[in-house]
Amino acid sequence: MMAEVILCEGSACSVCGQGRLTRFRAVQGREYLRCPHCEATIMAQANWLTSEEEQTVYNLHDNDPADPGYRAFLNKLVVPLLECIQPGALGLDFGCGPGPALAGMLREAGMEVKLYDPFFYPSQAALGRQYDFITCTEVVEHLHRPAKVLRQLDGLLKPGGWLGVMTCFQTCDERFDNWHYRRDPTHVVFYREKTLAQIADHLGWVLSVPRKDVAIFHKPL
């Protein structure tokens, strides 16, 4: 069996697979790389947390499904997604975390929603069927192998299905060092709108960006 390639300068981009990563900058002891093709910014693998360290950080998250402020935050994705899917549609909240508030909101809107999270809801049964829609809220920035997971999600989506993604888009290199999103040690990938467009093009999806930090992908019939 071949050893897994360590993600570092000169590696193939883990998002698009088409560019070779170049050094972007080092911030507070962490090295960040840049893909010249899709413009993703990626933390070098040497700086990733262990699974145990990640779990410790995630356990600190307070995603209360009853919190009005958190529900308003999630509505940035819920509102445009509900405009795309039919009542009673079957969905998967992928990377739902310990408090699956988004799934609850979609159920309130009449949808059937299954849960998957590698730390909190590691249900392989949820990954064994196809869905009308999938949500990934504050998930893709944590992915160590984004291209692999995105191909997996493509297989989980029915033709004609929808994928809703929410992540904080990177827009300004000058602000990167002090950016709150970068300071979270579990965030290892940062996406620009161009990055998301490259993902859509590679997988044959259609991308729309209904508002800042929200991407809706459509898998054509």
Side-chain angles (χ1 to χ4, degrees):
M1 181 181 297
M2 294 182 62
E4 184 179 3
V5 176
I6 301 298
L7 197 64
C8 59
E9 186 175 5
S11 300
C13 175
S14 58
V15 177
C16 71
Q18 299 181 63
R20 289 284 169 182
L21 298 175
T22 60
R23 187 179 185 275
F24 172 52
R25 66 178 68 184
V27 186
Q28 296 176 331
R30 298 178 193 146
E31 184 179 2
Y32 295 91
L33 310 167
R34 172 65 55 80
C35 174
H37 182 76
C38 72
E39 298 185 6
T41 301
I42 302 170
M43 185 193 292
Q45 186 169 344
N47 300 128
W48 293 353
L49 300 183
T50 65
S51 293
E52 293 76 17
E53 291 168 334
E54 278 191 89
Q55 176 90 61
T56 299
V57 175
Y58 299 147
N59 286 340
L60 299 175
H61 290 183
D62 183 20
N63 299 336
D64 183 358
D67 179 12
Y70 188 50
R71 289 173 68 92
F73 171 72
L74 294 176
N75 261 329
K76 293 196 301 181
L77 175 61
V78 169
V79 171
L81 183 62
L82 287 177
E83 295 175 356
C84 300
I85 56 181
Q86 299 297 315
L90 174 64
L92 174 67
D93 189 358
F94 185 90
C96 60
L102 180 66
M105 293 169 66
L106 291 167
R107 288 167 180 156
E108 290 169 7
M111 308 303 164
E112 182 182 354
V113 186
K114 305 297 184 181
L115 305 176
Y116 176 78
D117 188 285
F119 292 97
F120 301 101
Y121 293 88
S123 168
Q124 291 303 306
L127 303 180
R129 59 193 303 177
Q130 285 191 309
Y131 296 91
D132 301 307
F133 69 93
I134 299 173
T135 58
C136 288
T137 306
E138 299 292 307
V139 171
V140 294
E141 65 275 7
H142 300 274
L143 299 178
H144 290 171
R145 302 294 180 214
K148 179 179 179 180
V149 174
L150 290 164
R151 287 193 300 270
Q152 179 185 27
L153 296 180
D154 183 53
L156 293 173
L157 266 185
K158 296 177 182 178
W162 302 85
L163 170 64
V165 171
M166 191 156 69
T167 189
C168 199
F169 298 171
Q170 188 191 355
T171 59
C172 182
D173 285 349
E174 288 72 23
R175 298 177 182 174
F176 184 78
D177 293 10
N178 295 317
W179 188 27
H180 77 281
Y181 221 56
R182 184 209 62 78
R183 294 199 301 268
D184 186 325
T186 66
H187 291 180
V188 297
V189 188
F190 306 96
Y191 304 77
R192 297 175 181 266
E193 282 195 35
K194 178 178 178 179
T195 314
L196 301 169
Q198 292 283 354
I199 290 169
D201 182 67
H202 181 69
L203 291 171
W205 296 342
V206 178
L207 169 67
S208 63
V209 180
R211 59 190 68 188
K212 182 181 181 297
D213 300 335
V214 173
I216 304 289
F217 298 96
H218 184 226
K219 180 176 179 177
L221 291 169

CSV table of all heavy atoms in Angstrom, one decimal, residues 1-3 25 40 51 58-59 65 68 73 88 94 98 115 119 121 123 136 144 155 182 187:
chain,number,residue,atom,x,y,z
A,1,MET,N,0.8,-1.2,0.0
A,1,MET,CA,0.0,0.0,0.0
A,1,MET,C,0.9,1.2,0.0
A,1,MET,O,1.8,1.3,0.8
A,1,MET,CB,-0.9,0.0,1.2
A,1,MET,CG,-1.8,1.2,1.3
A,1,MET,SD,-2.9,1.2,2.8
A,1,MET,CE,-3.8,-0.4,2.5
A,2,MET,N,0.5,2.2,-0.9
A,2,MET,CA,1.3,3.4,-0.9
A,2,MET,C,1.0,4.3,0.3
A,2,MET,O,-0.1,4.4,0.8
A,2,MET,CB,0.9,4.2,-2.2
A,2,MET,CG,1.3,3.5,-3.5
A,2,MET,SD,0.9,4.6,-4.9
A,2,MET,CE,1.9,6.0,-4.6
A,3,ALA,N,2.1,4.9,0.8
A,3,ALA,CA,1.9,5.9,1.9
A,3,ALA,C,1.2,7.1,1.5
A,3,ALA,O,1.3,7.5,0.3
A,3,ALA,CB,3.3,6.3,2.5
A,25,ARG,N,2.0,32.0,3.4
A,25,ARG,CA,2.6,32.8,4.5
A,25,ARG,C,2.6,31.9,5.8
A,25,ARG,O,1.8,30.9,5.8
A,25,ARG,CB,2.0,34.1,4.7
A,25,ARG,CG,0.5,34.0,5.2
A,25,ARG,CD,0.0,35.4,5.5
A,25,ARG,NE,-0.2,36.2,4.2
A,25,ARG,CZ,-0.5,37.4,4.1
A,25,ARG,NH1,-0.8,38.1,5.2
A,25,ARG,NH2,-0.7,38.0,3.0
A,40,ALA,N,-7.6,28.4,-3.3
A,40,ALA,CA,-7.8,27.9,-2.0
A,40,ALA,C,-6.6,28.2,-1.1
A,40,ALA,O,-5.5,28.2,-1.6
A,40,ALA,CB,-8.2,26.5,-1.9
A,51,SER,N,-7.0,14.2,16.0
A,51,SER,CA,-8.4,14.0,16.2
A,51,SER,C,-8.8,14.3,17.6
A,51,SER,O,-9.9,14.9,17.8
A,51,SER,CB,-8.8,12.6,15.8
A,51,SER,OG,-8.5,12.4,14.4
A,58,TYR,N,-14.3,21.0,19.5
A,58,TYR,CA,-15.7,20.9,19.1
A,58,TYR,C,-16.6,20.8,20.4
A,58,TYR,O,-17.7,21.2,20.3
A,58,TYR,CB,-15.9,19.7,18.2
A,58,TYR,CG,-15.1,19.8,16.9
A,58,TYR,CD1,-14.6,18.7,16.3
A,58,TYR,CD2,-14.9,21.0,16.3
A,58,TYR,CE1,-13.9,18.7,15.1
A,58,TYR,CE2,-14.2,21.1,15.1
A,58,TYR,CZ,-13.7,20.0,14.5
A,58,TYR,OH,-13.0,20.0,13.3
A,59,ASN,N,-16.1,20.1,21.4
A,59,ASN,CA,-16.9,20.0,22.6
A,59,ASN,C,-17.2,21.3,23.3
A,59,ASN,O,-18.1,21.4,24.1
A,59,ASN,CB,-16.1,19.1,23.6
A,59,ASN,CG,-16.2,17.6,23.2
A,59,ASN,OD1,-17.0,17.2,22.4
A,59,ASN,ND2,-15.3,16.8,23.7
A,65,PRO,N,-29.9,24.9,19.7
A,65,PRO,CA,-30.9,25.0,18.7
A,65,PRO,C,-32.0,26.0,19.1
A,65,PRO,O,-32.7,26.5,18.2
A,65,PRO,CB,-31.5,23.6,18.7
A,65,PRO,CG,-30.4,22.7,19.2
A,65,PRO,CD,-29.7,23.6,20.3
A,68,PRO,N,-32.1,32.2,19.5
A,68,PRO,CA,-32.5,33.0,18.4
A,68,PRO,C,-31.4,33.6,17.5
A,68,PRO,O,-31.5,33.6,16.3
A,68,PRO,CB,-33.3,34.2,19.0
A,68,PRO,CG,-33.7,33.7,20.4
A,68,PRO,CD,-32.6,32.8,20.8
A,73,PHE,N,-28.5,33.1,12.3
A,73,PHE,CA,-27.2,32.8,11.6
A,73,PHE,C,-27.5,31.7,10.6
A,73,PHE,O,-27.1,31.8,9.4
A,73,PHE,CB,-26.2,32.4,12.6
A,73,PHE,CG,-24.9,31.9,12.0
A,73,PHE,CD1,-24.0,32.7,11.3
A,73,PHE,CD2,-24.6,30.5,12.1
A,73,PHE,CE1,-22.9,32.2,10.7
A,73,PHE,CE2,-23.4,30.0,11.5
A,73,PHE,CZ,-22.6,30.8,10.8
A,88,GLY,N,-41.3,18.0,2.1
A,88,GLY,CA,-41.2,16.6,2.3
A,88,GLY,C,-39.9,16.0,1.8
A,88,GLY,O,-39.7,14.8,1.8
A,94,PHE,N,-24.8,17.0,7.0
A,94,PHE,CA,-23.5,16.4,7.0
A,94,PHE,C,-22.6,17.3,7.8
A,94,PHE,O,-22.4,18.5,7.5
A,94,PHE,CB,-23.0,16.3,5.5
A,94,PHE,CG,-21.7,15.6,5.4
A,94,PHE,CD1,-21.6,14.2,5.2
A,94,PHE,CD2,-20.5,16.3,5.5
A,94,PHE,CE1,-20.4,13.5,5.1
A,94,PHE,CE2,-19.2,15.6,5.3
A,94,PHE,CZ,-19.2,14.2,5.2
A,98,PRO,N,-22.6,18.7,17.6
A,98,PRO,CA,-23.3,18.1,18.7
A,98,PRO,C,-24.7,18.6,18.9
A,98,PRO,O,-25.6,17.9,19.5
A,98,PRO,CB,-22.4,18.6,19.9
A,98,PRO,CG,-21.8,19.8,19.4
A,98,PRO,CD,-21.6,19.6,18.0
A,115,LEU,N,-28.9,12.7,10.0
A,115,LEU,CA,-27.7,13.3,10.6
A,115,LEU,C,-26.4,12.5,10.4
A,115,LEU,O,-26.5,11.2,10.5
A,115,LEU,CB,-27.9,13.5,12.1
A,115,LEU,CG,-29.1,14.2,12.6
A,115,LEU,CD1,-29.1,14.2,14.1
A,115,LEU,CD2,-29.1,15.7,12.1
A,119,PHE,N,-17.7,12.9,14.5
A,119,PHE,CA,-17.4,12.9,16.0
A,119,PHE,C,-18.7,12.7,16.8
A,119,PHE,O,-18.6,12.0,17.9
A,119,PHE,CB,-16.8,14.3,16.4
A,119,PHE,CG,-15.5,14.5,15.8
A,119,PHE,CD1,-15.3,15.3,14.7
A,119,PHE,CD2,-14.3,14.0,16.5
A,119,PHE,CE1,-14.0,15.5,14.1
A,119,PHE,CE2,-13.1,14.2,16.0
A,119,PHE,CZ,-12.9,15.0,14.8
A,121,TYR,N,-22.2,12.1,15.4
A,121,TYR,CA,-23.3,11.2,14.8
A,121,TYR,C,-22.6,10.3,13.7
A,121,TYR,O,-22.9,10.5,12.6
A,121,TYR,CB,-24.4,12.0,14.3
A,121,TYR,CG,-25.3,12.7,15.3
A,121,TYR,CD1,-24.9,14.0,15.7
A,121,TYR,CD2,-26.4,12.1,15.9
A,121,TYR,CE1,-25.6,14.7,16.7
A,121,TYR,CE2,-27.1,12.8,16.8
A,121,TYR,CZ,-26.8,14.1,17.2
A,121,TYR,OH,-27.5,14.7,18.2
A,123,SER,N,-22.9,7.8,12.0
A,123,SER,CA,-23.8,6.8,11.5
A,123,SER,C,-23.5,6.4,10.0
A,123,SER,O,-23.7,7.2,9.1
A,123,SER,CB,-25.3,7.3,11.5
A,123,SER,OG,-26.1,6.4,10.8
A,136,CYS,N,-24.1,21.4,4.5
A,136,CYS,CA,-22.8,21.5,5.2
A,136,CYS,C,-22.6,22.9,5.7
A,136,CYS,O,-22.1,23.8,5.1
A,136,CYS,CB,-21.7,21.2,4.2
A,136,CYS,SG,-21.6,19.5,3.6
A,144,HIS,N,-9.9,17.8,6.0
A,144,HIS,CA,-8.5,17.5,5.6
A,144,HIS,C,-8.4,17.1,4.2
A,144,HIS,O,-7.3,17.4,3.6
A,144,HIS,CB,-8.0,16.4,6.5
A,144,HIS,CG,-7.8,16.9,8.0
A,144,HIS,ND1,-7.5,16.0,9.0
A,144,HIS,CD2,-7.9,18.1,8.5
A,144,HIS,CE1,-7.4,16.7,10.1
A,144,HIS,NE2,-7.7,17.9,9.9
A,155,GLY,N,-21.8,11.6,-4.7
A,155,GLY,CA,-22.4,10.3,-4.8
A,155,GLY,C,-23.7,10.2,-3.9
A,155,GLY,O,-24.6,9.4,-4.2
A,182,ARG,N,-9.4,32.4,10.6
A,182,ARG,CA,-8.1,31.8,10.5
A,182,ARG,C,-7.6,31.4,11.9
A,182,ARG,O,-7.0,30.3,12.1
A,182,ARG,CB,-7.0,32.7,9.9
A,182,ARG,CG,-5.7,32.0,9.8
A,182,ARG,CD,-4.5,33.1,9.8
A,182,ARG,NE,-4.4,33.7,11.1
A,182,ARG,CZ,-3.9,33.2,12.2
A,182,ARG,NH1,-3.4,32.0,12.2
A,182,ARG,NH2,-3.9,33.9,13.3
A,187,HIS,N,-9.7,25.1,11.6
A,187,HIS,CA,-10.0,25.5,10.3
A,187,HIS,C,-8.7,25.4,9.4
A,187,HIS,O,-7.7,26.1,9.6
A,187,HIS,CB,-10.4,27.0,10.3
A,187,HIS,CG,-11.8,27.2,10.9
A,187,HIS,ND1,-12.4,28.5,10.9
A,187,HIS,CD2,-12.7,26.3,11.4
A,187,HIS,CE1,-13.6,28.4,11.5
A,187,HIS,NE2,-13.8,27.1,11.8
